[in-house]
Amino acid sequence: MPVNPKKHEMPTQAPEVRARNFQEVALGYTKEVAVEEAKRCLNCKNKPCVEGCPVNIDIPAFIARMKEEDFEGAYQIITKTSSLPAVCGRVCPQETQCECKCTLGIRFEPVGIGRLERFAADWHNAHAEEAAKRPASNGHKVAIVGSGPSGLTCAGDLAKKGYEVTVYEALHTAGGVLVYGIPEFRLPKAIVSKEVDTLKSLGVSVETNIVVGKTITVDELFEMGYEAVFIGSGAGLPGFMGIPGESLKGVYSANEFLTRSNLMKAYREHPDTPIMKGGKVAVVGGGNVAMDAARTALRLGAEEVSIVYRRSMEELPARKEEVEHAQEEGIRFLLLNNPVEILGYQNPEDPRDPKNGFVKGMRCIKMELGEPDEKGRRRPIPIPGSEFEMEVDTVIMSIGTSPNPLIKNTTEGLEVNRRGGIIVNEDGLTSREAVYAGGDAVTGAATVISAMGAGKTAAKAIDAYLTGK
Amino acid sequence: MYRIVTKKELNPTVIQMEIEAPLVAKKAQPGQFIILRVDADGERIPLTVAGCNPKEGTVKIIFQVVGATTERLRHKEAGDSIEDFVGPLGVATHTDGIEKVCIIGGGVGCAIAMPVAQKFHALGASVTSITGFRSKDLVILEEEFQACSRKNILMTDDGTYGRKGNVTIPLKEMLDAGERFDMIIAIGPLIMMKFVVETARPFGIPVTVSMNPIMIDGTGMCGGCRLTLTRNGEKIVRFACVDGPDFNGYEVDFDEAMSRGRMYSDFERHAYEDTCNLFKKTGEGA
């Protein structure tokens, strides 16, 4: 039978419908489609896809189970190496990882590995009757700082080996960026809490409202009997451009805008936490976070949302699928533009006018692309005299974050690099004995799956360290 | 959940509570703050620590009822619990090398100024305190300030208690008369702190102010609490939650902070009115 050259389409909510609600955009495969898609896998010998996966899921093996409609079996294979399958199936950039290595992909479209992973995980979550079993304790205690993707992965891997793991979370809900950052329409919060519950049934305990570095220090964790600590505290301080007007009312960091909507549920009808809705919104930046912020603003009721990015579509760092979704929903892409000033309203007659100090526009300059920089990306250069003004009510700065300094400031001997990232070796070990780190706290803003990979590496190293002690 | 151990009304709109939070109680220092949520889906609000008892594991907060969340908190009683309570956040007030200090509290800001005054007093520093209130029935913590101050001046805007006028009047009198301080610490409404800075400026006395901007996470993640400072002629941005809440008063752009503080005033007023109406209705039904 000839192979279907195309991946089975992921059914989605229609763009004009989903642009006004917060329900998940991608609806997931049906059972029949999942089996058909699984059958596209050639089950080739050298399995290049596994190499492409930061947590090395045995992809051909789980797909083989799916061909036989053994979805629970497929899930069990995935969960051997991944602690968050339902999350990864949704937010991993498969096109640059497993799927770009797929042998089928040399001639045709690669197998929809991410979509199959999502199906298996959702199948398990809907059908599994028994909670995961807690393995027998090996008597060792490990503390994890932060309940984002790296921390949860590290916690899950260690718990499966019998470690007594406690995860400390600064916010009031576990999940880190999966909860405060990635919006409901891309990753429903119920899925995150289900994954956290699975870890809890493996014996992981989660303590919220604890800011390690403030409430408890890393050194105190050792005094409390933990034998190793993993720091997965995530990206911290949001970056701003340093242009005039960034403190006007209506200018947000993407972190703040998304946290208000996601974690604090400002998207609901009568929220306790306010957010500026409606009007014209400009999102500055071109990453996945910028796409999330733009699409959130649209769903909150904005009449017009624009991505303002200084390079061209080719250099846009966001996942292609997210860019396409955003375009379908009507987000405008103002490429090769860079803001130089945010303009505020000021009534010259009335210093008490309530509109004073709110954003009313943004001045930008047009850019062209010059020679490639050290990373190989063509450098954007302003075109003199090309400034123009655009009318906006809200500006969301999504130009990256730098690691949070709270832990570094209170942990003696913990070395960080020039940008504030914790320095680690190939095992995730920091400059302090028994202290490991991974995720954005090390690398600065990166992907969920690379953080999970780092959590996994560290879990392996922690296990080797504690069993060898 | 975090249990409310005691509750006391200091004046009709200012309430003191001790909350059971042993880890916070062990660490919190004057000048630091906590963030709480009254109930699930509630907003996160920052409140500066008004004292703590590490032995009992309790943290004292004093808050003014100004909006929906504080109104809901007011309706909680001793024995009830609140959903979330996290801290201590921010940097403690610096006390090193300060032997003579003037502490100025305005309104509910006195709740934060009081533990700072007590700490200086305990360290053997000479404390002069000036507290200001709108009117006699709003005066709080008078005895506490008296107990830890070499000199304690109480002002009311309407003259119904203490001296009439605002806090900068006695400050200027003292400075004019030649009195000098190593540091003036002002905690209260932004407009008060701004004028304390202007009063001290001609005398070149350092002023520390305690900023309380809108914030969400309190750990440096959202950037909502950012302030613009002018340092050596250059404008820089700092986050009140991790770099503050104390700042050099001469560097702070107060006008911008006041403007940013009003970002959600319409929303907040409606939420407050709705909450009050809700409590009124439930009250009538009961």
XYZ file of all heavy atoms in Angstrom, chain A residues 194-279:
644
model
N -3.640 17.823 35.603
C -3.692 16.359 35.515
C -2.274 15.768 35.536
O -2.017 14.763 36.217
C -4.411 15.979 34.211
C -4.684 14.519 34.076
C -6.165 14.219 34.260
C -6.334 12.722 34.401
N -7.685 12.303 34.670
N -1.364 16.394 34.796
C 0.022 15.901 34.776
C 0.660 16.054 36.162
O 1.407 15.183 36.611
C 0.857 16.655 33.725
C 0.293 16.588 32.296
C 0.849 15.452 31.442
O 1.043 14.364 31.985
O 1.077 15.673 30.224
N 0.337 17.158 36.830
C 0.875 17.361 38.181
C 0.300 16.305 39.129
O 1.009 15.739 39.961
C 0.587 18.796 38.684
C 0.974 18.953 40.150
C 1.334 19.828 37.832
N -0.994 16.013 38.970
C -1.618 14.976 39.809
C -0.949 13.620 39.610
O -0.785 12.851 40.563
C -3.115 14.860 39.498
C -3.900 16.028 40.062
O -3.342 16.763 40.913
O -5.054 16.232 39.648
N -0.589 13.320 38.352
C 0.101 12.052 38.084
C 1.408 11.996 38.869
O 1.736 10.974 39.478
C 0.385 11.913 36.571
O -0.853 12.019 35.879
C 1.038 10.589 36.246
N 2.142 13.118 38.871
C 3.398 13.145 39.627
C 3.133 12.968 41.118
O 3.876 12.287 41.821
C 4.142 14.459 39.379
C 4.681 14.650 37.956
C 5.358 15.996 37.823
C 5.662 13.542 37.607
N 2.051 13.582 41.593
C 1.721 13.444 43.018
C 1.434 11.990 43.362
O 1.825 11.504 44.428
C 0.526 14.323 43.387
C 0.888 15.803 43.502
C -0.340 16.622 43.884
C 0.002 18.097 44.002
N -1.227 18.920 44.039
N 0.758 11.282 42.443
C 0.476 9.880 42.776
C 1.746 9.033 42.712
O 1.807 7.960 43.297
C -0.645 9.308 41.908
O -0.374 9.531 40.558
N 2.776 9.542 42.034
C 4.082 8.866 42.079
C 4.826 9.183 43.379
O 5.932 8.702 43.599
C 4.948 9.305 40.900
C 4.619 8.747 39.522
C 5.405 9.477 38.452
C 4.924 7.253 39.474
N 4.232 10.058 44.217
C 4.840 10.361 45.508
C 5.489 11.733 45.593
O 6.024 12.102 46.634
N 5.452 12.497 44.521
C 6.058 13.834 44.542
C 5.179 14.762 45.375
O 3.964 14.795 45.200
C 6.172 14.401 43.111
C 6.637 15.848 43.129
C 7.095 13.539 42.270
N 5.778 15.487 46.316
C 4.953 16.450 47.035
C 5.265 17.854 46.527
O 6.400 18.169 46.177
C 5.125 16.301 48.540
O 6.167 17.091 48.996
N 4.215 18.667 46.406
C 4.356 20.002 45.830
C 3.983 21.031 46.884
O 2.881 21.000 47.424
C 3.449 20.168 44.585
C 3.586 21.576 44.008
C 3.781 19.127 43.527
N 4.931 21.913 47.207
C 4.677 22.966 48.195
C 4.617 24.294 47.456
O 5.634 24.779 46.951
C 5.819 23.014 49.215
C 6.043 21.730 49.956
C 5.245 21.677 51.252
O 4.669 22.713 51.636
O 5.207 20.594 51.854
N 3.420 24.893 47.412
C 3.298 26.199 46.749
C 3.605 27.311 47.746
O 3.784 27.067 48.943
C 1.878 26.390 46.195
O 0.955 26.154 47.254
C 1.594 25.436 45.055
N 3.665 28.541 47.262
C 3.900 29.727 48.094
C 5.238 29.695 48.828
O 5.358 30.251 49.917
C 2.767 29.921 49.122
C 1.448 30.277 48.462
O 1.436 30.891 47.396
N 0.355 29.901 49.083
N 6.218 29.033 48.265
C 7.554 29.049 48.866
C 8.526 29.609 47.832
O 8.720 29.018 46.765
C 8.029 27.626 49.247
C 7.019 26.945 50.151
C 9.442 27.682 49.836
C 7.283 26.981 51.600
N 9.115 30.754 48.137
C 10.087 31.357 47.231
C 11.471 30.943 47.705
O 11.969 31.469 48.708
C 9.970 32.898 47.235
C 10.920 33.503 46.200
C 8.545 33.334 46.964
N 12.064 29.972 47.004
C 13.416 29.570 47.412
C 14.361 30.725 47.072
O 14.302 31.300 45.992
C 13.843 28.251 46.743
C 15.304 27.945 47.034
C 12.961 27.117 47.240
N 15.198 31.055 48.042
C 16.014 32.264 47.939
C 15.474 33.346 48.863
O 16.180 34.284 49.212
N 14.201 33.203 49.254
C 13.586 34.169 50.171
C 12.993 33.437 51.387
O 13.436 33.624 52.501
C 12.477 34.951 49.452
C 13.007 36.004 48.507
C 13.507 37.191 49.310
C 14.141 38.257 48.444
N 14.770 39.309 49.246
N 11.959 32.630 51.151
C 11.320 31.914 52.257
C 12.291 30.886 52.854
O 12.398 30.749 54.070
C 10.039 31.190 51.772
O 9.315 32.045 50.902
C 9.163 30.789 52.933
N 12.957 30.160 51.963
C 13.953 29.154 52.348
C 15.147 29.340 51.415
O 14.945 29.595 50.226
C 13.408 27.717 52.148
C 12.086 27.499 52.878
C 14.423 26.694 52.606
C 11.494 26.113 52.642
N 16.356 29.201 51.940
C 17.513 29.285 51.047
C 17.931 27.877 50.624
O 17.513 26.878 51.232
C 18.710 29.952 51.732
O 19.103 29.134 52.841
C 18.368 31.354 52.222
N 18.770 27.811 49.615
C 19.276 26.521 49.146
C 20.035 25.815 50.278
O 19.886 24.608 50.486
C 20.167 26.725 47.899
C 20.931 25.445 47.558
C 19.317 27.164 46.704
N 20.816 26.592 51.036
C 21.563 25.976 52.136
C 20.631 25.389 53.192
O 20.898 24.330 53.748
C 22.496 27.005 52.767
C 23.652 27.325 51.830
O 24.480 26.434 51.610
O 23.688 28.453 51.293
N 19.517 26.079 53.445
C 18.553 25.551 54.414
C 17.909 24.258 53.931
O 17.551 23.400 54.740
C 17.482 26.601 54.724
C 18.008 27.698 55.645
C 17.079 28.895 55.743
O 16.409 29.223 54.751
O 17.044 29.524 56.811
N 17.764 24.122 52.610
C 17.201 22.869 52.085
C 18.094 21.697 52.474
O 17.613 20.634 52.867
C 17.048 22.940 50.563
C 15.942 23.864 50.041
C 16.026 23.991 48.525
C 14.560 23.359 50.445
N 19.417 21.906 52.397
C 20.326 20.826 52.809
C 20.203 20.562 54.305
O 20.201 19.415 54.743
C 21.770 21.165 52.421
C 22.033 21.019 50.942
C 22.156 22.131 50.130
C 22.121 19.759 50.370
C 22.381 21.996 48.767
C 22.350 19.611 49.003
C 22.478 20.737 48.203
N 20.061 21.657 55.083
C 19.883 21.478 56.535
C 18.608 20.689 56.831
O 18.522 19.983 57.833
C 19.797 22.842 57.241
C 21.140 23.560 57.328
C 20.974 25.041 57.692
O 19.956 25.391 58.333
O 21.858 25.833 57.314
N 17.601 20.836 55.955
C 16.338 20.126 56.167
C 16.438 18.651 55.783
O 15.457 17.916 55.902
C 15.223 20.796 55.341
C 14.797 22.153 55.873
S 13.960 23.166 54.619
C 12.413 22.288 54.441
N 17.597 18.227 55.283
C 17.785 16.802 55.009
C 17.770 16.422 53.545
O 17.900 15.242 53.210
N 17.587 17.397 52.657
C 17.670 17.066 51.231
C 19.129 16.834 50.873
O 20.014 17.565 51.302
C 17.075 18.189 50.384
C 15.595 18.362 50.617
C 15.105 19.414 51.384
C 14.687 17.444 50.087
C 13.745 19.557 51.620
C 13.329 17.579 50.315
C 12.860 18.639 51.082
O 11.517 18.770 51.311
N 19.363 15.819 50.065
C 20.748 15.470 49.722
C 21.181 16.076 48.398
O 22.364 16.123 48.085
C 20.889 13.951 49.663
C 20.639 13.291 51.001
C 20.383 11.813 50.835
O 21.371 11.070 50.765
O 19.204 11.415 50.753
N 20.221 16.487 47.602
C 20.535 17.174 46.353
C 19.406 18.154 46.061
O 18.276 17.968 46.512
C 20.669 16.177 45.202
N 19.760 19.219 45.324
C 18.777 20.250 44.979
C 18.859 20.498 43.479
O 19.960 20.600 42.921
C 19.080 21.567 45.739
C 18.142 22.688 45.273
C 18.952 21.377 47.248
N 17.703 20.548 42.835
C 17.659 20.931 41.417
C 16.990 22.297 41.311
O 15.888 22.499 41.825
C 16.878 19.909 40.588
C 16.676 20.338 39.154
C 17.709 20.212 38.236
C 15.473 20.886 38.736
C 17.534 20.632 36.914
C 15.290 21.298 37.420
C 16.328 21.174 36.510
N 17.653 23.257 40.664
C 17.090 24.596 40.493
C 16.522 24.728 39.085
O 17.248 24.709 38.098
C 18.158 25.683 40.724
C 18.762 25.555 42.128
C 17.553 27.076 40.529
C 19.986 26.424 42.342
N 15.213 24.859 39.032
C 14.535 25.069 37.748
C 13.622 26.268 37.914
O 12.425 26.175 37.721
N 14.234 27.390 38.317
C 13.428 28.547 38.726
C 12.964 29.381 37.546
O 12.235 30.353 37.724
C 14.209 29.410 39.710
O 15.479 29.704 39.182
N 13.399 29.017 36.342
C 12.815 29.644 35.162
C 13.368 31.007 34.835
O 14.276 31.522 35.484
N 12.787 31.559 33.794
C 13.193 32.896 33.364
C 12.631 33.888 34.358
O 11.599 33.660 34.957
C 12.650 33.177 31.981
N 13.333 34.953 34.534
C 12.857 35.920 35.514
C 12.496 37.215 34.861
O 11.555 37.297 34.079
N 13.294 38.186 35.168
C 12.985 39.575 34.856
C 12.702 39.813 33.374
O 13.502 39.482 32.516
C 14.174 40.439 35.286
C 14.797 40.036 36.625
C 15.983 40.927 36.949
C 13.769 40.105 37.735
N 11.551 40.406 33.082
C 11.233 40.693 31.692
C 12.095 41.833 31.150
O 12.440 42.766 31.880
C 9.768 41.111 31.743
C 9.550 41.611 33.122
C 10.496 40.852 33.995
N 12.433 41.748 29.877
C 13.237 42.795 29.256
C 12.354 43.902 28.687
O 11.236 43.646 28.240
N 12.858 45.109 28.749
C 12.209 46.230 28.067
C 13.222 46.810 27.094
O 14.409 46.501 27.157
C 11.733 47.268 29.089
C 10.569 46.797 29.911
C 10.777 46.152 31.122
C 9.272 46.954 29.457
C 9.699 45.676 31.874
C 8.197 46.484 30.196
C 8.407 45.844 31.415
N 12.771 47.656 26.166
C 13.671 48.131 25.119
C 14.543 49.295 25.562
O 15.545 49.604 24.925
C 12.860 48.561 23.897
C 12.121 47.415 23.236
S 11.270 47.968 21.745
C 12.666 48.243 20.644
N 14.106 49.994 26.623
C 14.843 51.189 27.028
C 14.518 52.385 26.157
O 15.335 53.288 25.996
N 13.306 52.403 25.575
C 12.890 53.557 24.766
C 11.948 54.432 25.597
O 11.348 53.950 26.565
C 12.189 53.119 23.455
C 10.954 52.249 23.745
C 13.179 52.363 22.555
C 10.138 51.898 22.514
N 11.787 55.701 25.251
C 10.885 56.560 26.023
C 9.449 56.050 25.981
O 9.012 55.510 24.958
C 10.983 57.919 25.306
C 12.244 57.867 24.508
C 12.469 56.420 24.168
N 8.752 56.204 27.098
C 7.327 55.877 27.147
C 7.004 54.473 27.632
O 5.842 54.095 27.693
N 8.016 53.687 28.004
C 7.720 52.305 28.404
C 7.036 52.187 29.754
O 6.555 51.113 30.109
C 9.001 51.455 28.400
C 9.417 51.046 27.008
C 10.612 50.115 27.004
O 11.669 50.539 27.506
O 10.491 48.994 26.501
N 7.009 53.285 30.527
C 6.307 53.237 31.810
C 4.906 53.825 31.727
O 4.238 53.978 32.744
C 7.117 53.965 32.879
O 8.253 53.193 33.194
N 4.462 54.159 30.527
C 3.094 54.653 30.378
C 2.111 53.547 30.746
O 2.426 52.356 30.643
C 2.850 55.089 28.928
C 3.574 56.370 28.505
C 3.552 56.495 26.982
C 2.926 57.598 29.140
N 0.898 53.979 31.144
C -0.134 52.994 31.454
C -0.621 52.364 30.149
O -0.975 53.076 29.224
C -1.296 53.676 32.181
C -0.921 54.081 33.606
C -2.005 54.895 34.273
C -1.963 56.336 33.792
N -2.850 57.216 34.603
N -0.618 51.035 30.120
C -0.981 50.343 28.888
C 0.215 49.659 28.262
O 0.077 48.972 27.263
N 1.402 49.826 28.871
C 2.570 49.064 28.397
C 2.782 47.904 29.364
O 2.914 48.111 30.574
C 3.845 49.934 28.355
C 5.021 49.107 27.819
C 3.625 51.182 27.520
N 2.779 46.700 28.830
C 2.981 45.500 29.636
C 4.218 44.758 29.152
O 4.548 44.808 27.966
C 1.826 44.519 29.428
C 0.483 44.898 30.011
C -0.519 45.436 29.213
C 0.209 44.654 31.356
C -1.774 45.731 29.742
C -1.046 44.944 31.881
C -2.030 45.482 31.072
O -3.265 45.749 31.590
N 4.832 44.004 30.046
C 5.712 42.939 29.572
C 4.777 41.796 29.187
O 3.669 41.681 29.722
C 6.662 42.486 30.685
O 5.958 41.739 31.655
N 5.241 40.934 28.263
C 4.418 39.781 27.887
C 4.154 38.920 29.114
O 3.053 38.401 29.302
C 5.109 38.967 26.795
N 5.165 38.799 29.975
C 4.988 38.036 31.216
C 3.805 38.550 32.022
O 2.996 37.778 32.524
C 6.233 38.175 32.106
C 7.247 37.083 31.861
O 7.041 36.227 31.007
N 8.321 37.108 32.625
N 3.734 39.867 32.193
C 2.649 40.426 33.010
C 1.304 40.216 32.324
O 0.330 39.786 32.946
C 2.867 41.915 33.285
C 1.703 42.481 34.109
C 1.809 43.951 34.454
O 2.796 44.605 34.053
O 0.885 44.450 35.133
N 1.264 40.509 31.037
C -0.005 40.399 30.307
C -0.530 38.963 30.361
O -1.699 38.718 30.664
C 0.210 40.848 28.859
C -1.059 41.005 28.081
C -1.879 42.112 28.293
C -1.450 40.060 27.156
C -3.060 42.265 27.580
C -2.631 40.203 26.435
C -3.436 41.311 26.646
N 0.378 38.016 30.080
C -0.035 36.608 30.072
C -0.362 36.112 31.476
O -1.305 35.349 31.670
C 1.051 35.744 29.427
C 1.204 35.949 27.913
C 2.456 35.254 27.401
C -0.024 35.437 27.170
N 0.398 36.548 32.481
C 0.126 36.116 33.851
C -1.244 36.611 34.302
O -2.011 35.879 34.926
C 1.213 36.631 34.809
O 2.472 36.126 34.385
C 0.964 36.158 36.231
N -1.544 37.870 33.974
C -2.864 38.386 34.343
C -3.969 37.543 33.700
O -4.957 37.206 34.347
C -3.012 39.847 33.906
C -2.291 40.820 34.806
C -2.466 42.265 34.356
N -1.714 43.139 35.246
C -2.187 43.660 36.375
N -3.429 43.451 36.734
N -1.422 44.404 37.150
N -3.798 37.213 32.426
C -4.850 36.469 31.751
C -4.878 35.001 32.177
O -5.931 34.467 32.509
C -4.680 36.568 30.236
O -5.717 35.845 29.599
N -3.708 34.347 32.184
C -3.683 32.895 32.416
C -3.795 32.532 33.890
O -4.751 31.915 34.317
C -2.374 32.287 31.892
C -2.205 32.477 30.409
O -3.187 32.574 29.686
N -0.976 32.553 29.958
N -2.772 32.917 34.651
C -2.722 32.517 36.066
C -3.841 33.184 36.859
O -4.501 32.559 37.683
C -1.359 32.885 36.670
C -1.199 32.567 38.150
C -1.031 31.068 38.367
C -0.011 33.317 38.746
N -4.026 34.485 36.633
C -4.988 35.237 37.440
C -6.380 35.248 36.796
O -7.285 35.882 37.299
C -4.496 36.666 37.665
C -3.094 36.782 38.271
S -2.801 35.749 39.727
C -3.993 36.406 40.883
N -6.527 34.593 35.666
C -7.829 34.390 35.011
C -8.568 35.680 34.664
O -9.788 35.775 34.773
C -8.706 33.490 35.883
C -7.989 32.185 36.253
C -8.914 31.229 36.956
C -8.292 29.861 37.129
N -7.537 29.688 38.340
N -7.793 36.672 34.238
C -8.418 37.951 33.884
C -9.271 37.832 32.627
O -9.984 38.758 32.273
C -7.354 39.027 33.695
N -9.199 36.676 31.932
C -10.007 36.528 30.723
C -11.460 36.194 31.043
O -12.330 36.278 30.197
C -9.398 35.452 29.799
C -9.461 34.044 30.325
C -10.603 33.268 30.142
C -8.387 33.486 31.018
C -10.666 31.974 30.620
C -8.441 32.198 31.495
C -9.586 31.444 31.300
O -9.641 30.166 31.783
N -11.708 35.825 32.297
C -13.086 35.468 32.659
C -13.975 36.701 32.716
O -13.493 37.827 32.698
C -13.087 34.785 34.021
C -12.480 33.413 33.959
C -12.704 32.738 35.267
N -12.143 31.407 35.259
C -12.052 30.654 36.344
N -12.482 31.117 37.507
N -11.544 29.455 36.274
N -15.265 36.449 32.881
C -16.202 37.560 32.786
C -16.067 38.582 33.925
O -16.017 39.774 33.681
C -17.620 37.050 32.694
C -18.505 38.075 32.048
C -19.710 37.445 31.394
O -19.629 36.269 30.940
O -20.735 38.109 31.355
N -16.019 38.117 35.167
C -15.866 39.070 36.272
C -14.606 38.732 37.054
O -14.675 38.186 38.150
C -17.086 39.038 37.194
C -18.330 39.495 36.512
N -18.551 40.809 36.184
C -19.406 38.804 36.060
C -19.715 40.914 35.567
N -20.252 39.712 35.467
N -13.455 39.052 36.485
C -12.213 38.646 37.155
C -11.927 39.545 38.357
O -12.421 40.666 38.434
C -11.162 38.862 36.070
C -11.703 39.997 35.255
C -13.195 39.872 35.295
N -11.139 39.018 39.303
C -10.662 39.851 40.396
C -9.463 40.673 39.958
O -9.203 41.733 40.497
C -10.239 38.963 41.582
C -11.437 38.571 42.421
O -12.564 38.897 42.006
O -11.249 37.955 43.482
N -8.710 40.112 39.017
C -7.498 40.789 38.554
C -7.784 41.487 37.231
O -8.252 40.850 36.292
C -6.374 39.755 38.367
O -6.141 39.120 39.619
C -5.091 40.409 37.900
N -7.521 42.781 37.166
C -7.853 43.513 35.943
C -6.814 43.341 34.835
O -5.666 42.976 35.091
C -7.871 44.976 36.406
C -6.951 45.018 37.581
C -6.994 43.662 38.226
N -7.220 43.627 33.610
C -6.307 43.648 32.468
C -6.904 44.627 31.466
O -8.117 44.806 31.420
C -6.173 42.229 31.859
C -4.972 42.153 30.922
C -7.440 41.811 31.120
C -4.557 40.722 30.588
N -6.049 45.301 30.689
C -6.578 46.206 29.669
C -7.040 45.385 28.471
O -6.296 44.590 27.940
C -5.523 47.226 29.259
C -5.411 48.346 30.288
S -4.216 49.614 29.840
C -4.910 50.247 28.336
N -8.305 45.589 28.091
C -8.873 44.822 26.987
C -9.297 45.785 25.893
O -9.540 46.948 26.144
C -10.143 44.094 27.424
C -9.997 43.185 28.584
C -11.354 42.580 28.930
C -11.220 41.787 30.205
N -12.414 41.101 30.598
N -9.478 45.230 24.706
C -10.054 46.016 23.629
C -9.069 46.978 23.004
O -7.884 46.974 23.313
N -9.550 47.781 22.093
C -8.717 48.761 21.434
C -7.690 48.140 20.517
O -7.830 46.997 20.072
